[in-house]
Amino acid sequence: MNKPLTTSEMASDDLGPLYAPHKKVYPQHVSGTFRRIKWGLMAFCLGVYYLLPFVRWDRGIGAPNQAVLVDLPNSRFYFFFIELWPQEVYYFTGLLILAALTLFLMNAIGGRIWCGYLCPQTVWTDVFYAVERLVEGDRRERMKKDADTDKGGLKLQRFAEILLKHSIWLMIAWWTGGAWVLYFNDAPTLVTQLVTFQAPMIAYIWIAILTGTTYLLAGFAREQVCVYMCPWPRIQAALTDEWALNVTYKRDRGEERTSLKKAAELRAAGQPAGDCIDCYQCVAVCPTGIDIRDGSQLDCIQCGLCIDACDTVMTKVGRPTRLIGYDNDINIQRRAEGKAEIYKIVRPRTLVYAAIIAVVGGIMLYALLNRSLLDVNVLHDRNPIAVRLSDGSIRNAYTVRLLNKRGFDRVVALDIEGPTNAVVHVVGADSVTPDRPMIVVKRDSTTELRVLVTAPAASNPEKSIPLKMRVTDLGLGEVATGTDNFVSP
Amino acid sequence: MAHHDENFDAATGKTTTGHSWDGIKELNTPLPRWWVLTFYACIIWAFGYWIVYPAWPLLTGHTTGVIQYSSRADVAVELANLEKIRGDKMVTLGAAPLAEIEKDPALLALARARGKAVFGDNCAPCHGSGAAGAKGYPNLNDDDWLWGGSLDQIQKTLQYGIRSGHAEAHEGQMLAFGRDGTLKKPEIVTVANFVRSLAGLPTAKGYDAAAGTKLFADNCAACHGDAGKGNPEMGAPNLTDNIWLYGSDEATIIETVTNGRNGVMPAWIGRLDPATIKALTVYVHTLGGGQ
């Protein structure tokens, strides 16, 4: 029954207040399928995050042998067999597109799987909750202890508990920040430096920042991040559709909720009775403190813990499980009409997402496997754009950058295709065979050259003509070409 | 009863300040406490600032503040740091023989970078930012060098300048044959056309080639050579090529012969340190015209 709104309620915003005063959430321990999945994924995610910097990858002498490394001083990014240069940041764009599409696909299939199981906020908050439970006890104990503390001041034992909890939290937070900086420097070296206080100041600053944010976000902000700070709930609400599986309370089965005793009486009398016994277990275990029976809502991160809690209760009272379960909007409608439930994972939306992911991923993989390891960039001098020499010939100057992405020095020759009989001169060329300058390009680096191209008077082009510069690795035969123009004054 | 208070606003359930403008009253909404505290903190901060930093203007100066801060001193420190950073590299460059610099990729890159920056600050006003020159100011990208285009010659020109007044400066005069009365107007026209013929340019109708040849031999060959090929020792231009510092049309050459041309290039020794002049030499040499 809806109560009529009071005047002040009508005067307030129709959508409710933008921010509700914080009510502390005391999630209760629960065990079951989804809890086990969450433990597993948590161990996996944290394992990857904390241990990945220590994985080695042999790249030869002089190159870093860390599998995943962001080498800022040398502007290189290493990821196992991949080495990216600053010119190749578009791979990160591709990665972001892939990440967004994967999120969309996950959303189309199973709602906020990301939020419930994989989001760092969820994972670390879950760890922090586990610590809290270990130190202070489960929901009831924690509520009682907090209430006692509010009433009777801080007892010594309680103080010790709180101190222990925060110490463990800070240690986890510190280790989280510590692992972060290991991605930016050789991990074993940096660990030694950190311990002996020899590490660069910036490392300590970043550890402090990540320690602080982890401690604050996972220890205190918790579900507030999901509800007030994160844009994803808002965005995903626009992306989801009637086929997406969401954690749902099956209202048709649960209502009218009654006590266990009354339900038994009703059933004995051959009358229908709801399965929900209003035990509030689903609310007690919820990490965001919501009641899933109110329907799909922004605050729900869809972690499935209420499913585990409800299943436990249903098993105890001898009713079928999955009164709360992953379900879609279509089935809510169909059950109301007495039709069979249907689930569709393969449908146009998921197929399109999967196809785009496959295409983008394919393009990226192709580009990565075929990325050129020798490159030449040509830039024409603009001032002056062309010079007439005393014998009437014309000279154009270029700034040419050679990129050697291989792990060893190599000798390349520069050839040009342009004006007839044009002569090429490279300032500071290492050696010159007749009209063919040779240049040494050091391993994993670039070399900038000043290249002068002179066209004799007899073959002066009338107008601007295309010019091709071709560099050839004399050892491997690899060829790269750059193009520009040859201009007459 | 609050509701009968004249300072009570029924619509919002709040009190007003009691001020009324044309019947419009202002709600008495207190500032948020955090805002007020921040405001007070700013005031306290300002007092601290007055004491610590230079803040108050006085009749003949200003308060210096207890930490004696000066942005000018900061700049001096930054500049000193810059010199320290450059230090070793520029010393290495200063010690290296000119001819070796272009063979060492690291030194070449340093010399070109430093040279380019110094060129922009000191040379670009006359020679242009790309050293393309202008009328009367040589293009340093081409291969025509009045005083020679080898590394040593470029360095010498940079150090001492041309007609700069420095004792070591390049000296050479293009005489004002018309102004000082050596040649009459018709003779100047004739010799100008002869000069154009040297460079393969067309001559005016009715031009007397024999007279031109004789006039040139008598007046010009001493510096420019019998064939007009010029002489870098005296800065005398080659008159047979395609490059003309002041222009190759008849009127310009007539003016050159009549009034002379004596452009000035300042001496940079003493203004730029030797290592920087070296860098500049290499930069200019590698622009393309170096010999």
Side-chain angles (χ1 to χ4, degrees):
Chain A
M1 272 286 284
N2 280 335
K3 283 182 288 181
L5 289 172
T6 64
T7 324
S8 67
E9 276 169 337
M10 279 199 290
S12 72
D13 193 334
D14 287 346
L15 299 169
L18 285 173
Y19 181 82
H22 181 219
K23 268 188 222 144
K24 192 168 178 189
V25 181
Y26 297 88
Q28 189 175 314
H29 173 69
V30 63
S31 49
T33 315
F34 295 97
R35 183 63 262 183
R36 276 194 296 277
I37 296 174
K38 267 174 82 76
W39 286 132
L41 286 173
M42 180 206 281
F44 175 75
C45 293
L46 294 180
V48 168
Y49 177 74
Y50 291 125
L51 300 178
L52 197 53
F54 296 98
V55 177
R56 303 287 96 184
W57 190 266
D58 186 22
R59 292 194 182 84
I61 299 156
N65 62 350
Q66 184 157 323
V68 180
L69 180 68
V70 184
D71 188 356
L72 289 178
N74 299 309
S75 315
R76 296 285 185 276
F77 173 70
Y78 301 94
F79 186 85
F80 294 95
F81 72 99
I82 301 168
E83 178 193 331
L84 293 185
W85 285 37
Q87 292 89 334
E88 297 165 314
V89 282
Y90 48 79
Y91 285 114
F92 290 98
T93 315
L95 206 60
L96 286 177
I97 295 171
L98 272 188
L101 286 167
T102 309
L103 204 53
F104 294 171
L105 179 63
M106 280 160 76
N107 187 66
I109 293 172
R112 290 161 67 178
I113 295 177
W114 170 258
C115 296
Y117 303 95
L118 296 166
C119 174
Q121 176 63 23
T122 295
V123 171
W124 265 278
T125 302
D126 218 16
V127 175
F128 275 43
Y129 268 136
V131 170
E132 191 168 73
R133 201 173 291 126
L134 207 68
V135 176
E136 298 185 354
D138 209 352
R139 175 179 162 89
R140 281 168 191 284
E141 274 179 85
R142 295 206 302 276
M143 289 170 90
K144 187 174 178 309
K145 281 174 179 170
D146 273 1
D148 287 349
T149 308
D150 288 345
K151 261 186 287 176
L154 220 50
K155 298 277 184 337
L156 187 65
Q157 199 199 336
R158 175 78 182 130
F159 178 77
E161 248 179 36
I162 292 174
L163 192 70
L164 177 64
K165 177 181 83 175
H166 285 277
S167 307
I168 300 176
W169 277 3
L170 276 168
M171 267 162 58
I172 297 171
W174 169 76
W175 189 237
T176 303
W180 173 259
V181 299
L182 298 182
Y183 285 89
F184 296 84
N185 214 324
D186 183 58
T189 315
L190 190 60
V191 168
T192 319
Q193 288 176 335
L194 286 169
V195 174
T196 54
F197 297 101
Q198 303 291 315
M201 182 49 76
I202 191 75
Y204 293 105
I205 292 173
W206 272 105
I207 291 176
I209 291 174
L210 269 108
T211 305
T213 48
T214 308
Y215 180 61
L216 284 177
L217 293 179
F220 300 90
R222 298 176 167 182
E223 81 284 350
Q224 302 267 304
V225 174
C226 311
V227 180
Y228 297 110
M229 292 161 73
C230 179
W232 181 235
R234 276 94 179 155
I235 299 168
Q236 75 90 31
L239 284 168
T240 195
D241 66 5
E242 70 276 20
W243 289 105
L245 290 172
N246 286 313
V247 174
T248 311
Y249 165 66
K250 289 164 188 162
R251 181 170 292 275
D252 52 292
R253 230 190 86 185
E255 302 294 323
E256 295 273 334
R257 37 188 110 147
T258 51
S259 70
L260 186 55
K261 204 172 141 194
K262 197 160 173 218
E265 281 168 9
L266 280 169
R267 288 201 191 92
Q271 282 176 335
D275 277 346
C276 177
I277 57 167
D278 218 5
C279 66
Y280 277 92
Q281 278 304 295
C282 54
V283 178
V285 299
C286 180
T288 62
I290 59 158
D291 189 341
I292 189 65
R293 296 171 301 174
D294 293 344
S296 186
Q297 51 206 286
L298 183 141
D299 318 34
C300 174
I301 59 167
Q302 298 184 10
C303 59
L305 293 185
C306 51
I307 304 179
D308 284 344
C310 191
D311 280 359
T312 311
V313 173
M314 286 299 115
T315 310
K316 264 187 206 155
V317 302
R319 299 295 302 170
T321 55
R322 295 297 144 92
L323 172 57
I324 302 173
Y326 275 97
D327 199 8
N328 59 37
D329 288 357
I330 299 270
N331 285 337
I332 294 171
Q333 192 65 36
R334 287 177 71 89
R335 276 195 307 270
E337 293 165 7
K339 295 181 189 161
E341 296 172 343
I342 45 172
Y343 298 95
K344 246 193 210 170
I345 287 176
V346 181
R347 51 185 203 273
R349 179 189 285 256
T350 52
L351 282 176
V352 168
Y353 286 151
I356 304 176
I357 289 172
V359 169
V360 174
I363 291 172
M364 277 182 64
L365 196 65
Y366 177 82
L368 266 175
L369 295 176
N370 292 283
R371 79 193 257 272
S372 80
L373 298 171
L374 179 67
D375 256 341
V376 53
N377 298 329
V378 183
L379 189 68
H380 195 292
D381 264 20
R382 288 170 301 167
N383 178 21
I385 197 156
V387 177
R388 190 178 292 280
L389 301 183
S390 53
D391 64 357
S393 53
I394 293 171
R395 178 186 291 161
N396 278 201
Y398 304 85
T399 303
V400 174
R401 188 169 277 280
L402 302 178
L403 294 81
N404 175 12
K405 295 179 187 171
R406 287 198 185 270
F408 45 83
D409 297 358
R410 39 188 177 168
V411 183
V412 298
L414 180 76
D415 300 297
I416 57 155
E417 260 172 54
T420 326
N421 297 326
V423 176
V424 61
H425 171 69
V426 175
V427 173
D430 293 290
S431 69
V432 181
T433 55
D435 291 342
R436 204 176 188 219
M438 313 273 184
I439 303 106
V440 177
V441 195
K442 297 251 179 271
R443 54 170 287 274
D444 196 37
S445 67
T446 70
T447 295
E448 196 184 90
L449 306 172
R450 182 167 170 80
V451 176
L452 307 168
V453 176
T454 311
S459 64
N460 275 353
E462 289 291 307
K463 51 183 172 46
S464 170
I465 61 162
L467 178 95
K468 198 181 270 181
M469 293 208 186
R470 194 172 55 246
V471 289
T472 312
D473 182 318
L474 294 175
L476 300 174
E478 269 180 11
V479 174
T481 45
T483 53
D484 210 303
N485 290 307
F486 188 90
V487 186
S488 283
Chain B
M1 282 289 278
H3 289 72
H4 301 296
D5 187 340
E6 60 172 323
N7 289 341
F8 182 79
D9 179 61
T12 58
K14 289 177 179 169
T15 54
T16 68
T17 56
H19 307 153
S20 174
W21 293 272
D22 296 339
I24 298 168
K25 289 181 179 178
E26 184 188 10
L27 285 179
N28 186 10
T29 311
L31 288 165
R33 181 181 296 265
W34 66 265
W35 193 97
V36 176
L37 291 176
T38 310
F39 179 61
Y40 291 152
C42 288
I43 293 172
I44 294 164
W45 177 262
F47 278 105
Y49 201 97
W50 289 348
I51 297 161
V52 173
Y53 280 95
W56 285 93
L58 305 174
L59 274 180
T60 55
H62 56 81
T63 57
T64 51
V66 292
I67 64 165
Q68 302 285 320
Y69 171 79
S70 152
S71 53
R72 195 174 275 264
D74 270 10
V75 174
V77 170
E78 291 289 323
L79 286 175
N81 280 341
L82 190 64
E83 285 307 313
K84 210 190 266 173
I85 293 166
R86 283 182 185 154
D88 289 350
K89 290 179 186 169
M90 287 305 285
V91 167
T92 313
L93 186 71
L98 264 178
E100 296 303 311
I101 294 173
E102 284 182 30
K103 290 178 190 155
D104 182 329
L107 277 181
L108 176 63
L110 171 68
R112 278 187 50 80
R114 178 80 177 128
K116 187 177 177 151
V118 176
F119 189 92
D121 289 346
N122 299 283
C123 318
C126 293
H127 291 281
S129 60
K135 187 175 174 177
Y137 302 98
N139 181 348
L140 305 176
N141 293 277
D142 65 27
D143 61 343
D144 195 22
W145 294 87
L146 294 180
W147 301 92
S150 70
L151 279 165
D152 288 335
Q153 287 166 326
I154 294 173
Q155 189 185 33
K156 186 161 186 269
T157 305
L158 274 166
Q159 282 173 326
Y160 308 120
I162 297 159
R163 294 177 277 270
S164 63
H166 191 283
E168 305 273 329
H170 290 308
E171 292 294 344
Q173 298 284 318
M174 170 67 195
L175 299 173
F177 289 94
R179 202 146 36 88
D180 62 17
T182 313
L183 295 176
K184 305 260 178 314
K185 182 80 195 273
E187 292 174 320
I188 292 173
V189 173
T190 304
V191 84
N193 274 284
F194 175 77
V195 168
R196 277 174 62 80
S197 74
L198 281 176
L201 298 165
T203 50
K205 217 189 267 179
Y207 148 71
D208 183 348
T213 309
K214 182 162 186 336
L215 280 167
F216 187 85
D218 291 347
N219 298 286
C220 316
C223 293
H224 291 283
D226 292 338
K229 293 277 189 194
N231 181 0
E233 292 292 313
M234 310 164 99
N238 180 351
L239 303 175
T240 65
D241 64 17
N242 284 280
I243 298 169
W244 293 80
L245 184 53
Y246 291 90
S248 62
D249 59 299
E250 191 186 351
T252 304
I253 297 175
I254 288 172
E255 202 206 319
T256 302
V257 178
T258 307
N259 294 316
R261 299 281 188 192
N262 291 295
V264 173
M265 153 101 176
W268 293 97
I269 197 162
R271 292 196 228 188
L272 300 175
D273 63 89
T276 301
I277 289 184
K278 221 170 207 179
L280 203 47
T281 304
V282 172
Y283 173 70
V284 170
H285 188 252
T286 56
L287 280 175
Q291 289 160 347

